[in-house]
mmCIF file of all heavy atoms in Angstrom:
data_model
loop_
_atom_site.group_PDB
_atom_site.id
_atom_site.type_symbol
_atom_site.label_atom_id
_atom_site.label_comp_id
_atom_site.label_asym_id
_atom_site.label_seq_id
_atom_site.Cartn_x
_atom_site.Cartn_y
_atom_site.Cartn_z
ATOM 1 N N GLN A 181 126.212 102.853 162.512
ATOM 2 C CA GLN A 181 126.951 101.633 162.871
ATOM 3 C C GLN A 181 128.307 101.550 162.164
ATOM 4 O O GLN A 181 129.045 100.586 162.327
ATOM 5 C CB GLN A 181 126.109 100.397 162.539
ATOM 6 C CG GLN A 181 124.865 100.309 163.423
ATOM 7 C CD GLN A 181 123.860 99.309 162.890
ATOM 8 O OE1 GLN A 181 124.177 98.477 162.040
ATOM 9 N NE2 GLN A 181 122.637 99.383 163.381
ATOM 10 N N THR A 198 127.435 96.213 163.423
ATOM 11 C CA THR A 198 126.365 96.406 164.398
ATOM 12 C C THR A 198 126.820 96.002 165.793
ATOM 13 O O THR A 198 126.527 96.669 166.772
ATOM 14 C CB THR A 198 125.137 95.566 163.980
ATOM 15 O OG1 THR A 198 124.911 95.783 162.585
ATOM 16 C CG2 THR A 198 123.907 95.969 164.748
ATOM 17 N N MET A 199 127.554 94.883 165.895
ATOM 18 C CA MET A 199 127.962 94.399 167.214
ATOM 19 C C MET A 199 129.415 94.718 167.547
ATOM 20 O O MET A 199 129.931 94.241 168.542
ATOM 21 C CB MET A 199 127.734 92.875 167.317
ATOM 22 C CG MET A 199 126.287 92.449 167.228
ATOM 23 S SD MET A 199 125.095 93.459 168.146
ATOM 24 C CE MET A 199 125.675 93.282 169.818
ATOM 25 N N SER A 292 127.176 87.462 163.974
ATOM 26 C CA SER A 292 127.210 88.769 164.626
ATOM 27 C C SER A 292 125.937 89.512 164.221
ATOM 28 O O SER A 292 125.838 90.018 163.118
ATOM 29 C CB SER A 292 128.455 89.523 164.162
ATOM 30 O OG SER A 292 128.428 90.837 164.639
ATOM 31 N N ARG A 293 124.969 89.478 165.111
ATOM 32 C CA ARG A 293 123.635 90.008 164.837
ATOM 33 C C ARG A 293 123.146 89.573 163.444
ATOM 34 O O ARG A 293 122.682 90.375 162.638
ATOM 35 C CB ARG A 293 123.614 91.541 164.949
ATOM 36 C CG ARG A 293 122.172 92.019 165.091
ATOM 37 C CD ARG A 293 121.953 93.478 165.233
ATOM 38 N NE ARG A 293 120.525 93.696 165.065
ATOM 39 C CZ ARG A 293 119.711 94.147 165.995
ATOM 40 N NH1 ARG A 293 120.157 94.471 167.160
ATOM 41 N NH2 ARG A 293 118.429 94.303 165.763
ATOM 42 N N LEU A 295 120.723 87.553 162.891
ATOM 43 C CA LEU A 295 119.259 87.407 162.935
ATOM 44 C C LEU A 295 118.772 86.045 162.440
ATOM 45 O O LEU A 295 117.643 85.899 161.983
ATOM 46 C CB LEU A 295 118.560 88.539 162.162
ATOM 47 C CG LEU A 295 118.939 89.963 162.620
ATOM 48 C CD1 LEU A 295 118.178 91.005 161.829
ATOM 49 C CD2 LEU A 295 118.671 90.145 164.121
ATOM 50 N N LEU A 321 128.577 83.911 169.145
ATOM 51 C CA LEU A 321 127.273 84.546 168.950
ATOM 52 C C LEU A 321 127.317 85.916 169.606
ATOM 53 O O LEU A 321 127.565 86.028 170.809
ATOM 54 C CB LEU A 321 126.168 83.685 169.576
ATOM 55 C CG LEU A 321 124.744 84.248 169.524
ATOM 56 C CD1 LEU A 321 124.288 84.467 168.085
ATOM 57 C CD2 LEU A 321 123.765 83.314 170.234
ATOM 58 N N SER A 322 127.146 86.960 168.788
ATOM 59 C CA SER A 322 127.048 88.308 169.367
ATOM 60 C C SER A 322 125.798 88.949 168.805
ATOM 61 O O SER A 322 125.515 88.835 167.613
ATOM 62 C CB SER A 322 128.299 89.135 169.049
ATOM 63 O OG SER A 322 128.496 89.256 167.667
ATOM 64 N N GLY A 323 125.029 89.573 169.657
ATOM 65 C CA GLY A 323 123.726 90.083 169.224
ATOM 66 C C GLY A 323 122.630 89.246 169.848
ATOM 67 O O GLY A 323 122.907 88.354 170.644
ATOM 68 N N PRO A 324 121.375 89.527 169.486
ATOM 69 C CA PRO A 324 120.258 88.868 170.150
ATOM 70 C C PRO A 324 120.429 87.356 170.176
ATOM 71 O O PRO A 324 120.842 86.796 169.174
ATOM 72 C CB PRO A 324 119.055 89.245 169.271
ATOM 73 C CG PRO A 324 119.475 90.444 168.501
ATOM 74 C CD PRO A 324 120.957 90.373 168.365
ATOM 75 N N PRO A 325 120.151 86.681 171.292
ATOM 76 C CA PRO A 325 119.643 87.229 172.553
ATOM 77 C C PRO A 325 120.730 87.558 173.586
ATOM 78 O O PRO A 325 120.407 87.842 174.733
ATOM 79 C CB PRO A 325 118.778 86.067 173.057
ATOM 80 C CG PRO A 325 119.531 84.842 172.596
ATOM 81 C CD PRO A 325 120.176 85.216 171.291
ATOM 82 N N ILE A 326 122.005 87.506 173.184
ATOM 83 C CA ILE A 326 123.088 87.724 174.163
ATOM 84 C C ILE A 326 123.015 89.156 174.720
ATOM 85 O O ILE A 326 122.830 90.106 173.972
ATOM 86 C CB ILE A 326 124.481 87.449 173.526
ATOM 87 C CG1 ILE A 326 124.525 86.023 172.933
ATOM 88 C CG2 ILE A 326 125.613 87.659 174.521
ATOM 89 C CD1 ILE A 326 124.281 84.890 173.906
ATOM 90 N N ASN A 327 123.182 89.266 176.041
ATOM 91 C CA ASN A 327 123.121 90.563 176.747
ATOM 92 C C ASN A 327 121.726 91.199 176.639
ATOM 93 O O ASN A 327 121.581 92.413 176.534
ATOM 94 C CB ASN A 327 124.191 91.517 176.187
ATOM 95 C CG ASN A 327 124.601 92.574 177.220
ATOM 96 O OD1 ASN A 327 124.121 92.563 178.363
ATOM 97 N ND2 ASN A 327 125.460 93.493 176.825
ATOM 98 N N TRP A 328 120.695 90.347 176.715
ATOM 99 C CA TRP A 328 119.322 90.841 176.558
ATOM 100 C C TRP A 328 118.918 91.806 177.668
ATOM 101 O O TRP A 328 118.087 92.682 177.468
ATOM 102 C CB TRP A 328 118.331 89.681 176.440
ATOM 103 C CG TRP A 328 118.405 88.666 177.558
ATOM 104 C CD1 TRP A 328 119.109 87.508 177.546
ATOM 105 C CD2 TRP A 328 117.741 88.723 178.822
ATOM 106 N NE1 TRP A 328 118.956 86.826 178.725
ATOM 107 C CE2 TRP A 328 118.112 87.550 179.525
ATOM 108 C CE3 TRP A 328 116.889 89.638 179.447
ATOM 109 C CZ2 TRP A 328 117.657 87.265 180.818
ATOM 110 C CZ3 TRP A 328 116.422 89.358 180.733
ATOM 111 C CH2 TRP A 328 116.799 88.193 181.407
ATOM 112 N N LYS A 329 119.541 91.646 178.851
ATOM 113 C CA LYS A 329 119.165 92.545 179.964
ATOM 114 C C LYS A 329 119.447 94.002 179.611
ATOM 115 O O LYS A 329 118.738 94.912 180.015
ATOM 116 C CB LYS A 329 119.938 92.163 181.241
ATOM 117 C CG LYS A 329 119.455 90.863 181.846
ATOM 118 C CD LYS A 329 120.283 90.449 183.040
ATOM 119 C CE LYS A 329 119.866 89.063 183.520
ATOM 120 N NZ LYS A 329 120.824 88.512 184.467
ATOM 121 N N THR A 330 120.517 94.226 178.825
ATOM 122 C CA THR A 330 120.872 95.597 178.433
ATOM 123 C C THR A 330 120.010 96.083 177.272
ATOM 124 O O THR A 330 119.643 97.254 177.211
ATOM 125 C CB THR A 330 122.368 95.636 178.015
ATOM 126 O OG1 THR A 330 123.143 95.096 179.073
ATOM 127 C CG2 THR A 330 122.830 97.051 177.691
ATOM 128 N N TYR A 331 119.703 95.156 176.335
ATOM 129 C CA TYR A 331 119.152 95.604 175.055
ATOM 130 C C TYR A 331 117.666 95.327 174.812
ATOM 131 O O TYR A 331 117.159 95.670 173.754
ATOM 132 C CB TYR A 331 119.925 94.940 173.899
ATOM 133 C CG TYR A 331 121.362 95.373 173.765
ATOM 134 C CD1 TYR A 331 122.407 94.463 173.950
ATOM 135 C CD2 TYR A 331 121.692 96.687 173.434
ATOM 136 C CE1 TYR A 331 123.732 94.847 173.811
ATOM 137 C CE2 TYR A 331 123.013 97.075 173.287
ATOM 138 C CZ TYR A 331 124.026 96.161 173.481
ATOM 139 O OH TYR A 331 125.330 96.543 173.341
ATOM 140 N N TYR A 332 116.982 94.675 175.763
ATOM 141 C CA TYR A 332 115.631 94.199 175.418
ATOM 142 C C TYR A 332 114.710 95.319 174.937
ATOM 143 O O TYR A 332 113.882 95.124 174.053
ATOM 144 C CB TYR A 332 115.003 93.412 176.586
ATOM 145 C CG TYR A 332 114.568 94.263 177.767
ATOM 146 C CD1 TYR A 332 113.236 94.682 177.894
ATOM 147 C CD2 TYR A 332 115.482 94.646 178.752
ATOM 148 C CE1 TYR A 332 112.833 95.466 178.967
ATOM 149 C CE2 TYR A 332 115.084 95.428 179.816
ATOM 150 C CZ TYR A 332 113.760 95.840 179.927
ATOM 151 O OH TYR A 332 113.370 96.625 180.972
ATOM 152 N N GLN A 333 114.900 96.531 175.467
ATOM 153 C CA GLN A 333 114.031 97.639 175.020
ATOM 154 C C GLN A 333 114.408 98.093 173.604
ATOM 155 O O GLN A 333 113.554 98.338 172.763
ATOM 156 C CB GLN A 333 114.122 98.807 176.000
ATOM 157 C CG GLN A 333 113.382 98.502 177.298
ATOM 158 C CD GLN A 333 113.686 99.533 178.371
ATOM 159 O OE1 GLN A 333 114.860 99.840 178.625
ATOM 160 N NE2 GLN A 333 112.642 100.071 179.000
ATOM 161 N N THR A 334 115.740 98.189 173.342
ATOM 162 C CA THR A 334 116.216 98.569 172.002
ATOM 163 C C THR A 334 115.703 97.580 170.956
ATOM 164 O O THR A 334 115.318 97.961 169.845
ATOM 165 C CB THR A 334 117.772 98.559 171.971
ATOM 166 O OG1 THR A 334 118.251 99.256 173.104
ATOM 167 C CG2 THR A 334 118.326 99.166 170.704
ATOM 168 N N TRP A 335 115.711 96.281 171.329
ATOM 169 C CA TRP A 335 115.276 95.239 170.387
ATOM 170 C C TRP A 335 113.751 95.110 170.326
ATOM 171 O O TRP A 335 113.234 94.290 169.562
ATOM 172 C CB TRP A 335 115.896 93.894 170.773
ATOM 173 C CG TRP A 335 117.387 93.849 170.639
ATOM 174 C CD1 TRP A 335 118.164 94.633 169.848
ATOM 175 C CD2 TRP A 335 118.287 92.962 171.327
ATOM 176 N NE1 TRP A 335 119.499 94.294 169.986
ATOM 177 C CE2 TRP A 335 119.598 93.274 170.897
ATOM 178 C CE3 TRP A 335 118.131 91.935 172.266
ATOM 179 C CZ2 TRP A 335 120.738 92.597 171.363
ATOM 180 C CZ3 TRP A 335 119.250 91.259 172.733
ATOM 181 C CH2 TRP A 335 120.546 91.590 172.284
ATOM 182 N N LYS A 336 113.063 95.888 171.196
ATOM 183 C CA LYS A 336 111.580 95.869 171.246
ATOM 184 C C LYS A 336 111.049 94.456 171.495
ATOM 185 O O LYS A 336 110.130 93.969 170.802
ATOM 186 C CB LYS A 336 110.987 96.447 169.945
ATOM 187 C CG LYS A 336 111.334 97.914 169.711
ATOM 188 C CD LYS A 336 110.635 98.460 168.471
ATOM 189 C CE LYS A 336 110.855 99.943 168.267
ATOM 190 N NZ LYS A 336 112.233 100.350 168.041
ATOM 191 N N ARG A 337 111.660 93.781 172.488
ATOM 192 C CA ARG A 337 111.206 92.428 172.844
ATOM 193 C C ARG A 337 111.130 92.307 174.362
ATOM 194 O O ARG A 337 111.785 93.048 175.089
ATOM 195 C CB ARG A 337 112.168 91.379 172.266
ATOM 196 C CG ARG A 337 112.026 91.270 170.755
ATOM 197 C CD ARG A 337 113.036 90.336 170.145
ATOM 198 N NE ARG A 337 112.889 88.971 170.607
ATOM 199 C CZ ARG A 337 113.720 87.988 170.283
ATOM 200 N NH1 ARG A 337 114.752 88.228 169.501
ATOM 201 N NH2 ARG A 337 113.544 86.763 170.741
ATOM 202 N N THR A 338 110.362 91.344 174.827
ATOM 203 C CA THR A 338 110.220 91.203 176.284
ATOM 204 C C THR A 338 111.406 90.442 176.854
ATOM 205 O O THR A 338 112.037 89.631 176.163
ATOM 206 C CB THR A 338 108.930 90.441 176.643
ATOM 207 O OG1 THR A 338 109.068 89.092 176.159
ATOM 208 C CG2 THR A 338 107.695 91.087 176.019
ATOM 209 N N LYS A 339 111.665 90.705 178.156
ATOM 210 C CA LYS A 339 112.761 90.001 178.838
ATOM 211 C C LYS A 339 112.517 88.487 178.801
ATOM 212 O O LYS A 339 113.440 87.705 178.564
ATOM 213 C CB LYS A 339 112.826 90.440 180.306
ATOM 214 C CG LYS A 339 113.295 91.868 180.525
ATOM 215 C CD LYS A 339 113.341 92.135 182.028
ATOM 216 C CE LYS A 339 113.754 93.564 182.319
ATOM 217 N NZ LYS A 339 113.793 93.848 183.759
ATOM 218 N N ASP A 341 110.825 86.642 176.690
ATOM 219 C CA ASP A 341 111.008 86.101 175.345
ATOM 220 C C ASP A 341 112.499 85.866 175.059
ATOM 221 O O ASP A 341 112.914 84.800 174.601
ATOM 222 C CB ASP A 341 110.399 87.112 174.352
ATOM 223 C CG ASP A 341 110.544 86.669 172.903
ATOM 224 O OD1 ASP A 341 110.579 85.459 172.676
ATOM 225 O OD2 ASP A 341 110.631 87.539 172.009
ATOM 226 N N LEU A 342 113.322 86.879 175.349
ATOM 227 C CA LEU A 342 114.764 86.790 175.072
ATOM 228 C C LEU A 342 115.448 85.774 175.979
ATOM 229 O O LEU A 342 116.323 85.023 175.555
ATOM 230 C CB LEU A 342 115.407 88.176 175.226
ATOM 231 C CG LEU A 342 115.095 89.129 174.062
ATOM 232 C CD1 LEU A 342 115.219 90.577 174.500
ATOM 233 C CD2 LEU A 342 116.007 88.859 172.878
ATOM 234 N N LYS A 343 115.024 85.746 177.227
ATOM 235 C CA LYS A 343 115.600 84.798 178.188
ATOM 236 C C LYS A 343 115.309 83.359 177.728
ATOM 237 O O LYS A 343 116.186 82.488 177.749
ATOM 238 C CB LYS A 343 114.987 85.046 179.563
ATOM 239 C CG LYS A 343 115.639 84.279 180.686
ATOM 240 C CD LYS A 343 114.995 84.667 182.011
ATOM 241 C CE LYS A 343 115.609 83.889 183.157
ATOM 242 N NZ LYS A 343 114.989 84.237 184.441
ATOM 243 N N GLU A 345 114.703 82.411 174.657
ATOM 244 C CA GLU A 345 115.482 82.146 173.430
ATOM 245 C C GLU A 345 116.913 81.742 173.776
ATOM 246 O O GLU A 345 117.458 80.789 173.232
ATOM 247 C CB GLU A 345 115.486 83.391 172.526
ATOM 248 C CG GLU A 345 116.128 83.121 171.172
ATOM 249 C CD GLU A 345 116.256 84.355 170.286
ATOM 250 O OE1 GLU A 345 115.510 85.341 170.489
ATOM 251 O OE2 GLU A 345 117.115 84.336 169.382
ATOM 252 N N GLN A 346 117.504 82.465 174.734
ATOM 253 C CA GLN A 346 118.887 82.126 175.109
ATOM 254 C C GLN A 346 118.940 80.739 175.755
ATOM 255 O O GLN A 346 119.846 79.953 175.479
ATOM 256 C CB GLN A 346 119.488 83.179 176.043
ATOM 257 C CG GLN A 346 120.928 82.803 176.421
ATOM 258 C CD GLN A 346 121.803 83.987 176.776
ATOM 259 O OE1 GLN A 346 121.405 85.129 176.633
ATOM 260 N NE2 GLN A 346 123.003 83.698 177.238
ATOM 261 N N GLU A 363 131.104 84.277 178.240
ATOM 262 C CA GLU A 363 130.009 85.208 177.956
ATOM 263 C C GLU A 363 130.278 86.484 178.737
ATOM 264 O O GLU A 363 130.374 86.472 179.955
ATOM 265 C CB GLU A 363 128.638 84.655 178.345
ATOM 266 C CG GLU A 363 127.540 85.646 177.928
ATOM 267 C CD GLU A 363 126.114 85.171 178.196
ATOM 268 O OE1 GLU A 363 125.911 83.990 178.499
ATOM 269 O OE2 GLU A 363 125.212 86.019 178.097
ATOM 270 N N GLY A 365 129.485 90.874 178.217
ATOM 271 C CA GLY A 365 128.953 91.933 177.359
ATOM 272 C C GLY A 365 128.121 91.332 176.245
ATOM 273 O O GLY A 365 127.224 90.519 176.494
ATOM 274 N N ASP A 366 128.468 91.694 175.010
ATOM 275 C CA ASP A 366 127.652 91.275 173.862
ATOM 276 C C ASP A 366 128.071 89.940 173.246
ATOM 277 O O ASP A 366 127.502 89.528 172.235
ATOM 278 C CB ASP A 366 127.764 92.343 172.749
ATOM 279 C CG ASP A 366 127.282 93.712 173.209
ATOM 280 O OD1 ASP A 366 126.604 93.779 174.253
ATOM 281 O OD2 ASP A 366 127.594 94.706 172.532
ATOM 282 N N ILE A 367 129.093 89.309 173.807
ATOM 283 C CA ILE A 367 129.680 88.137 173.123
ATOM 284 C C ILE A 367 129.569 86.866 173.962
ATOM 285 O O ILE A 367 129.870 86.865 175.158
ATOM 286 C CB ILE A 367 131.182 88.401 172.824
ATOM 287 C CG1 ILE A 367 131.330 89.602 171.869
ATOM 288 C CG2 ILE A 367 131.855 87.172 172.212
ATOM 289 C CD1 ILE A 367 132.769 90.041 171.623
#
Side-chain angles (χ1 to χ4, degrees):
Q181 293 166 16
T198 313
M199 296 318 299
S292 173
R293 198 179 168 115
L295 304 181
L321 177 60
S322 59
I326 304 300
N327 205 3
W328 54 265
K329 288 176 186 167
T330 306
Y331 293 116
Y332 73 97
Q333 287 169 310
T334 312
W335 294 337
K336 297 184 175 63
R337 288 175 63 185
T338 66
K339 290 182 182 179
D341 179 29
L342 285 156
K343 189 177 179 181
E345 187 185 338
Q346 180 153 353
E363 184 177 348
D366 300 345
I367 298 174

